[in-house]
């Protein structure tokens, strides 16, 4: 059940991050090359976002005691971060579906669709923040810090970059490698993704260091948490630092 929850969390972050990236790439490509070329390049990644969310929801069902009663999970929206997570995740999915429809059928003006992209991205980021808020527990000093939401947001951008980057490459190889315009769009998109990764990965690493430092100078419980993290996960901790530095730079 814990693994199912982790997979749901990561897949939602991946979906939100890749949506934000494809929205930006589409807008920039449209301004330079026109709507037809921009949509031809971006549609594969935009479509993939939906199945990623659905797979995440399927994993989340395994975390519930009674999957058939999943609809009850939204009943405590006013008091439960878990209920809010489900509501905003569903809202993000619905807004993604509407975005895909608007884009495919060319509903409204470019400005209208840009606004819808923006609102959908905002809802996605709210869903990610709510995910992080679930873990901000006073009884868990290792989680109850600013580092937790920061790690969630950086993870969203890193995972989104991974999915969008792979999707853009596949789209280009299958349908766009004979087009000079598609080649230029692909080059620009992958360059921007690389720049984003170079910025975000070190931020995540610094967030991890900040988390340990803040715990080390905190209460006795916080200091014990820091020692526990380093004692039980020291190898994993340093591997994350080294791999992050390699891929970040």
């Amino acid at each position: 059940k814990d693994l199912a929850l982790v997979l749901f969390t990561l897949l939602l972050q991946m979906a939100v991050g890749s949506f934000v990236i494809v929205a930006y790439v589409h807008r920039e490509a449209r301004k330079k090359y026109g709507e037809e070329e921009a949509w031809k390049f971006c549609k594969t990644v935009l479509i993939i976002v939906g199945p990623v969310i659905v797979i995440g929801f399927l994993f989340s069902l395994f975390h519930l005691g009674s999957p058939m009663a999943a609809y009850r999970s939204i009943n405590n929206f006013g008091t439960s971060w878990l209920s809010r997570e489900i509501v905003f995740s569903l809202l993000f999915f619905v807004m993604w579906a509407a975005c895909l429809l608007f884009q495919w059928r060319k509903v409204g003006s470019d400005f209208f669709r840009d606004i819808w992209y923006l609102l959908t991205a905002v809802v996605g980021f709210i869903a990610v923040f709510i995910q992080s808020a679930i873990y901000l527990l006073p009884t868990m000093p290792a989680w109850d810090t600013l580092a937790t939401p920061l790690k969630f947001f950086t993870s969203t951008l890193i995972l989104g970059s991974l999915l969008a980057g792979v999707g853009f490459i596949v789209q280009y190889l299958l349908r766009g490698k004979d087009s000079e315009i598609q080649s230029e769009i692909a080059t620009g998109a992958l360059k921007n993704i690389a720049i984003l990764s170079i910025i975000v990965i070190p931020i995540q690493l610094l967030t991890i260091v900040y988390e340990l430092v803040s715990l080390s100078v905190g209460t006795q419980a916080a200091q014990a948490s820091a020692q526990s993290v380093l004692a039980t996960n020291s190898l994993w901790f340093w591997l994350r630092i080294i791999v992050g530095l390699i891929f970040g730079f």
Side-chain angles (χ1 to χ4, degrees):
K1 289 185 177 181
D2 290 340
L3 177 60
L5 180 60
V6 170
L7 290 173
F8 166 66
T9 300
L10 294 177
L11 287 172
L12 180 64
Q13 291 174 6
M14 178 178 284
V16 172
S18 58
F19 178 87
V20 170
I21 291 171
V22 75
Y24 173 78
V25 170
H26 176 267
R27 182 174 181 272
E28 294 302 306
R30 189 192 67 222
K31 289 193 298 184
K32 191 171 183 179
Y33 302 103
E35 172 61 31
E36 183 178 352
E37 292 289 347
W39 176 233
K40 179 181 178 181
F41 181 76
C42 293
K43 64 181 178 182
T44 298
V45 175
L46 184 59
I47 291 171
I48 289 174
V49 169
V52 171
I53 303 172
V54 171
I55 294 172
F57 277 130
L58 291 176
F59 277 119
S60 72
L61 294 178
F62 291 103
H63 183 69
L64 299 175
S66 177
M68 297 304 295
Y71 65 93
R72 296 178 183 171
S73 61
I74 65 175
N75 289 345
N76 299 315
F77 181 83
T79 57
S80 170
W81 285 112
L82 286 170
S83 293
R84 295 166 190 158
E85 177 189 30
I86 297 299
V87 169
F88 274 89
S89 298
L90 286 171
L91 181 58
F92 175 68
F93 177 77
V94 171
M95 293 185 72
W96 160 83
C99 185
L100 181 62
L101 175 64
F102 295 160
Q103 189 62 57
W104 208 300
R105 304 296 297 178
K106 298 298 181 285
V107 176
S109 64
D110 290 343
F111 177 75
F112 168 77
R113 294 195 296 275
D114 283 347
I115 293 298
W116 193 264
Y117 271 114
L118 177 61
L119 292 175
T120 305
V122 169
V123 169
F125 276 128
I126 292 174
V128 172
F129 171 75
I130 291 173
Q131 280 188 335
S132 70
I134 295 172
Y135 297 91
L136 297 176
L137 303 172
T139 55
M140 295 292 293
W143 298 349
D144 193 25
T145 70
L146 179 62
T148 296
L150 284 176
K151 286 193 293 185
F152 272 68
F153 282 119
T154 53
S155 176
T156 295
L157 295 176
I158 292 169
L159 292 172
S161 296
L162 176 63
L163 178 61
V166 172
F168 287 147
I169 292 172
V170 171
Q171 163 68 25
Y172 170 72
L173 292 177
L174 294 180
R175 302 179 182 179
K177 60 183 179 180
D178 295 327
S179 167
E180 183 177 347
I181 292 178
Q182 290 293 299
S183 179
E184 291 180 6
I185 297 175
T187 300
L190 294 176
K191 179 181 178 181
N192 287 330
I193 289 175
I195 293 173
L196 177 64
S197 299
I198 289 172
I199 295 172
V200 173
I201 291 177
I203 290 176
Q204 187 177 63
L205 297 179
L206 289 174
T207 300
I208 296 171
V209 174
Y210 160 79
E211 179 181 35
L212 287 174
V213 171
S214 64
L215 288 173
S216 299
V217 298
T219 63
Q220 288 186 344
Q223 293 175 23
S225 295
Q227 293 173 0
S228 176
V229 169
L230 290 175
T232 59
N233 300 292
S234 57
L235 178 60
W236 173 237
F237 172 79
W238 289 111
L239 280 175
R240 288 175 69 185
I241 296 293
I242 294 170
V243 171
L245 288 173
I246 292 173
F247 285 95
F249 296 100

